[in-house]
Amino acid sequence: MLRRGGSSALSGLSLSGLVARSGSGTPAAYTAALGVSSSSSLSLQGECAHANGCLCTSCCAGNGNPRRGISTAAAADVLSAPRRSRSRAVGHGHGLSCPCDSCAETNSRVSSKRGISSAADSGNRGVVFMAAGEVEVKPIDFPKLELDSMSSPVPSERQKRKCEHGVILKVTTTNICGSDQHMVRGRTSLTGGYMVLGHEITGEVIECGKDVEYIKEGDLCSVPFNIACGRCVMCKAGHTGVCLNVNPGRAGAAYGYVDMGGWIGGQSEYVMVPYADFNLLKFPDKDQALEKIKHLTLLSDIFPTGYHGAVSAGVGPGKIAYVAGAGPVGLACAASCQLLGAAVVIVGDMIPERLEQAKSFGCEVVDIKKGPVKDQIAEILGTPEVDCAIDCVGFEARGCGHNHGTEKPAQVLNDCMEITKAAGGIGIPGLYVTEDPGGVDDNARTGSLAMRLGLGWSKSQHFVTGQCPVMRYHRDLMNAILYDKIDIAGAVNAKVISLEEAPAGYKDFDKGAAVKYVIDPHGTTMKH
């Protein structure tokens, strides 16, 4: 597949393979093997440049394939159209995804003519982390079917590879996540001005690499936040959150996240997704999916993540579950507990608006500002213990009662061990890190926490940690949405905003807004 200004991987031709037109409009000559004559200059005056791979009627007839052709005038119209409108203008015709030499040369020379030498006029924009507490919407490079993170300020994520197994998506929706907030607050090693944020992505395929077999242009798909090759022993065992082939520094990778392989984030207009056939979840009916997009956009992360936390803690019919944290993941987890049949779901937090949101769909609540969690659970249940507990807070946890304003990284973990019954389960989808520049002490800065592990051991509790393997759950959860078994968008209070509103969304979310912000870069949701 041709990249802008590149050579044809399909035909093996360089841009010197352009052919001269004869008076009839048919290529003058072709080589015996590839059907190409010597090069000729390319017109930028709206005419088809007639080359091997061109889809106009004349060229296709010359190649013995007249049925594929479009008229020369139609080819000219497509070539003269703005780049972003070409790709689907004539079916497979001329554009960003066209493999002909004409389109590649035209794209390259038009870019040069316009003075496009960087991202400034690439037709793509993204949300970029600039400094602690600051993100900006900036022009970024249009995605290619390759990854080059060799210039990353984080050495462990530097890599370079071709991605003909990938696709380019026109982003339909992309969500702000609490994990993004950890970076934006300056709680990771991320340097400002480099990272395009965003790992919760839903979009339409506009270009496929030559190695993609089953995903097609036009498919509307959910993108799991964890990138997986589908080939390594971890992926084959279903542990897609710790793929061994996508991050040179460690197991597991994600889009737009520090130390996770350098993959470009999806809070943008367009993004590249590798290993498309394995990773992407295609929605069976595009129109139906667009009608339910506020729900389906949550399949990329927080719905499966919340569900995974509940499942790994042992939530099932009749169980009593405690969910620490009423942010979007915590609310998604609480709704998942209900979907799994829990008898009682109790949600703990310190922000009144978030507790009210939990109560809005039938949860009991604990306000950690008022005192120990176990005492408030005893008031609700008559006993200070639950069957299962899920930590949806992570390393930025706060103390309880008079300590609620003080950061205590192990608070939630210790609370969960204290309130969970003997032999009970504790799911930990909340994020914990190995490096936290803003940690409260030296131990916290390296992820060493003051856990009461002896308590958990003495009670024979089991713990499940780590990234959610999204692909384990997303198809079933899609069906739960499509068949109206859960109102997940209502549970997390999903709100659609424009790309330009993303910086304000980050600020509101950081203040504790009881909202899941869904970015719509192209205004797609406004049409449905």
Side-chain angles (χ1 to χ4, degrees):
M1 185 77 61
L2 275 177
R3 302 285 71 77
R4 200 176 284 121
S7 62
S8 174
L10 292 180
S11 65
L13 297 175
S14 69
L15 294 179
S16 64
L18 296 174
V19 297
R21 287 190 296 146
S22 68
S24 65
T26 304
Y30 296 89
T31 63
L34 296 174
V36 178
S37 74
S38 59
S39 64
S40 173
S41 62
L42 173 68
S43 170
L44 289 175
Q45 307 305 314
E47 296 183 272
C48 182
H50 300 287
N52 184 64
C54 177
L55 297 181
C56 81
T57 304
S58 300
C59 288
C60 282
N63 280 307
N65 190 13
R67 293 185 179 183
R68 290 183 62 202
I70 61 174
S71 71
T72 301
D77 287 343
V78 176
L79 282 172
S80 61
R83 287 178 297 154
R84 284 169 59 187
S85 64
R86 293 181 197 164
S87 61
R88 297 188 60 77
V90 194
H92 172 70
H94 299 278
L96 292 173
S97 59
C98 178
C100 80
D101 292 329
S102 304
C103 285
E105 179 72 355
T106 301
N107 285 337
S108 177
R109 293 185 61 175
V110 169
S111 294
S112 177
K113 188 175 181 181
R114 292 176 180 174
I116 304 170
S117 59
S118 65
D121 195 19
S122 68
N124 195 20
R125 297 176 301 152
V127 179
V128 180
F129 169 72
M130 301 304 294
E134 181 183 354
V135 301
E136 293 182 11
V137 178
K138 299 179 72 69
I140 61 173
D141 288 332
F142 197 91
K144 301 177 182 179
L145 293 174
E146 61 182 44
L147 171 65
D148 185 353
S149 59
M150 297 303 292
S151 62
S152 171
V154 182
S156 65
E157 66 182 29
R158 293 173 186 163
Q159 58 175 323
K160 186 174 183 177
R161 61 171 78 188
K162 295 291 185 181
C163 296
E164 290 293 344
H165 44 64
V167 299
I168 293 174
L169 296 186
K170 177 181 178 182
V171 177
T172 304
T173 52
T174 176
N175 317 323
I176 297 175
C177 180
S179 298
D180 299 323
Q181 287 286 17
H182 295 309
M183 290 188 292
V184 174
R185 293 184 186 122
R187 299 299 295 267
T188 70
S189 59
L190 182 61
T191 302
Y194 175 79
M195 180 70 75
V196 180
L197 300 172
H199 55 270
E200 300 187 12
I201 310 164
T202 303
E204 179 183 355
V205 178
I206 63 169
E207 181 175 353
C208 296
K210 65 182 178 67
D211 295 333
V212 178
E213 295 187 70
Y214 307 112
I215 294 294
K216 305 299 181 185
E217 289 186 17
D219 288 348
L220 183 61
C221 304
S222 177
V223 184
F225 78 88
N226 24 42
I227 301 167
C229 72
R231 299 156 168 81
C232 71
V233 294
M234 289 294 126
C235 287
K236 289 180 177 180
H239 304 303
T240 54
V242 283
C243 174
L244 302 177
N245 290 332
V246 288
N247 184 351
R250 61 196 295 180
Y255 304 90
Y257 211 87
V258 65
D259 199 31
M260 296 298 284
W263 300 90
I264 297 172
Q267 287 175 11
S268 56
E269 294 174 316
Y270 300 90
V271 69
M272 191 274 287
V273 174
Y275 303 104
D277 281 330
F278 182 67
N279 283 293
L280 292 181
L281 173 66
K282 175 187 172 182
F283 298 134
D285 185 308
K286 182 187 287 188
D287 290 336
Q288 181 191 28
L290 288 171
E291 292 292 336
K292 293 180 174 288
I293 197 66
K294 284 176 66 176
H295 303 269
L296 294 172
T297 190
L298 306 174
L299 289 173
S300 57
D301 183 356
I302 69 163
F303 189 11
T305 293
Y307 189 86
H308 175 64
V311 169
S312 58
V315 177
K319 297 294 186 180
I320 297 175
Y322 174 71
V323 178
V329 170
L331 294 170
C333 180
S336 297
C337 290
Q338 293 176 337
L339 182 65
L340 289 164
V344 181
V345 181
I346 305 170
V347 178
D349 205 290
M350 60 183 288
I351 300 174
E353 293 79 8
R354 290 185 170 183
L355 293 174
E356 285 301 315
Q357 180 62 26
K359 290 167 66 175
S360 73
F361 59 96
C363 298
E364 300 289 338
V365 298
V366 164
D367 184 346
I368 66 169
K369 296 194 305 295
K370 295 181 178 180
V373 172
K374 66 174 185 177
D375 293 346
Q376 296 183 64
I377 286 178
E379 292 178 8
I380 296 169
L381 301 175
T383 177
E385 289 187 319
V386 297
D387 298 308
C388 322
I390 306 98
D391 173 3
C392 296
V393 177
F395 73 98
E396 289 191 61
R398 305 282 169 168
C400 296
H402 67 277
N403 289 321
H404 72 269
T406 303
E407 187 168 306
K408 292 184 175 293
Q411 181 71 52
V412 172
L413 295 171
N414 289 331
D415 284 342
C416 288
M417 287 185 281
E418 183 174 41
I419 65 172
T420 302
K421 292 178 178 178
I426 299 172
I428 311 174
L431 177 65
Y432 289 87
V433 296
T434 57
E435 185 176 356
D436 175 14
V440 294
D441 54 38
D442 289 342
N443 286 332
R445 284 189 278 274
T446 58
S448 299
L449 309 182
M451 287 180 58
R452 295 183 63 196
L453 187 58
L455 175 62
W457 189 93
S458 68
K459 297 174 75 173
S460 294
Q461 295 167 340
H462 67 266
F463 306 77
V464 179
T465 68
Q467 289 186 32
C468 164
V470 171
M471 295 177 66
R472 186 180 301 173
Y473 308 107
H474 65 176
R475 187 174 299 276
D476 290 344
L477 296 180
M478 174 188 73
N479 286 332
I481 290 170
L482 294 178
Y483 288 95
D484 298 318
K485 298 304 180 185
I486 188 168
D487 178 12
I488 191 64
V492 303
N493 194 23
K495 178 181 179 181
V496 178
I497 60 175
S498 68
L499 188 64
E500 291 76 11
E501 294 174 299
Y506 268 95
K507 290 185 182 298
D508 288 345
F509 189 27
D510 192 47
K511 294 175 183 176
V515 176
K516 176 64 174 180
Y517 285 105
V518 175
I519 301 169
D520 178 357
H522 298 279
T524 305
T525 61
M526 305 300 178
K527 304 170 187 175
H528 295 272

